[in-house]
């Protein structure tokens, strides 16, 4: 069985950095976020209908990386991000995304707090609602095994490492 650890949270909270760091510490692969690649390839602004394609691509990427994993795999976001963003921005989420999200839960969610400085990025669009979105993530993940990750640099990484280590007997 592969332990699935999803690194999640609002925009510009260090998810990709933390995913790479954890993969390095534990010597395992990590699944890069599909949405970044998908949106980079568009010759237009993304639309609500693109979220379904992003979800399909994310699942395909996750399944591909899971084939390479032994005991542990880190995910730089997953379907929870698509669900939350879809509901936040469009007030709805495609039923297929909701169905898949329910089927594909993690063993641990590392919820990255919005305590890092906002970094401009062409794909980021919401610097002012990070605290509000963080609360939505908290509510969405209630009932799951979640560790909030606060602080900068080594503190953030150490918190995450300890949470992952707690998965192992």
């Amino acid at each position: 069985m592969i332990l699935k650890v999803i690194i999640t949270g609002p925009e510009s909270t260090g998810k990709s950095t933390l995913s790479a760091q954890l993969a390095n510490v534990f010597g395992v692969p990590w699944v890069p976020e599909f949405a970044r690649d998908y949106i980079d390839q568009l010759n237009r602004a993304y639309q609500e209908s693109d979220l379904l394609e992003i979800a399909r691509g994310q699942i395909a990427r996750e399944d591909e990386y899971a084939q390479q994993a032994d005991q542990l795999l880190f995910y730089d976001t997953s379907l929870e991000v698509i669900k939350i963003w879809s509901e936040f921005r469009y007030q709805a989420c495609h039923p297929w995304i909701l169905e898949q999200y329910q089927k594909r839960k993690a063993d641990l969610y590392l919820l990255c707090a919005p305590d890092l400085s906002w970094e401009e990025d062409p794909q980021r669009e919401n610097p002012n609602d990070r605290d509000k979105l963080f609360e939505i993530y908290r509510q969405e993940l209630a009932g799951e095994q979640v560790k909030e990750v606060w602080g900068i640099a080594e503190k953030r990484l150490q918190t995450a490492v300890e949470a992952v280590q707690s998965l192992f007997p």
Side-chain angles (χ1 to χ4, degrees):
M1 182 182 97
I2 298 171
L3 292 173
K4 180 177 180 177
V5 178
I6 294 176
I7 295 86
T8 194
E11 293 176 328
S12 194
T13 55
K15 297 179 297 291
S16 298
T17 298
L18 187 58
S19 296
Q21 290 173 325
L22 288 168
N24 185 53
V25 167
F26 288 92
V28 299
W30 62 285
V31 181
E33 180 183 18
F34 180 79
R36 286 203 154 270
D37 296 334
Y38 181 89
I39 292 171
D40 276 347
Q41 307 261 335
L42 289 178
N43 294 324
R44 57 174 170 75
Y46 80 91
Q47 303 165 4
E48 182 179 9
S49 60
D50 289 312
L51 296 178
L52 181 58
E53 294 309 311
I54 291 169
R56 287 182 175 135
Q58 181 68 32
I59 286 173
R61 181 171 284 180
E62 289 177 6
D63 290 347
E64 175 188 336
Y65 277 76
Q67 296 298 317
Q68 306 168 26
D70 236 358
Q71 281 188 303
L72 178 64
L73 187 58
F74 295 103
Y75 296 69
D76 178 4
T77 77
S78 191
L79 297 180
E80 78 290 338
V81 169
I82 300 167
K83 177 192 184 296
I84 290 169
W85 185 248
S86 182
E87 291 173 347
F88 184 79
R89 180 141 191 232
Y90 300 107
Q91 293 72 54
C93 185
H94 192 283
W96 185 85
I97 296 172
L98 296 173
E99 177 186 324
Q100 295 303 309
Y101 169 60
Q102 289 303 317
K103 291 179 180 178
R104 301 174 70 88
K105 296 293 185 167
D107 296 289
L108 173 66
Y109 292 88
L110 296 174
L111 178 54
C112 295
D115 59 342
L116 301 179
S117 298
W118 171 265
E119 290 187 21
E120 189 64 38
D121 178 316
Q123 290 190 16
R124 293 182 181 147
E125 56 187 293
N126 206 337
N128 301 319
D129 291 320
R130 292 189 313 151
D131 290 330
K132 182 177 183 178
L133 282 160
F134 184 71
E135 289 303 320
I136 293 170
Y137 276 89
R138 273 184 171 156
Q139 292 170 12
E140 180 63 40
L141 298 174
E144 303 295 336
Q145 186 166 343
V146 178
K147 178 66 177 175
E148 292 183 10
V149 182
W150 294 81
I152 58 172
E154 285 302 314
K155 180 180 183 209
R156 186 173 277 254
L157 178 59
Q158 187 59 39
T159 298
V161 167
E162 289 171 3
V164 173
Q165 287 173 333
S166 74
L167 295 174
F168 296 96

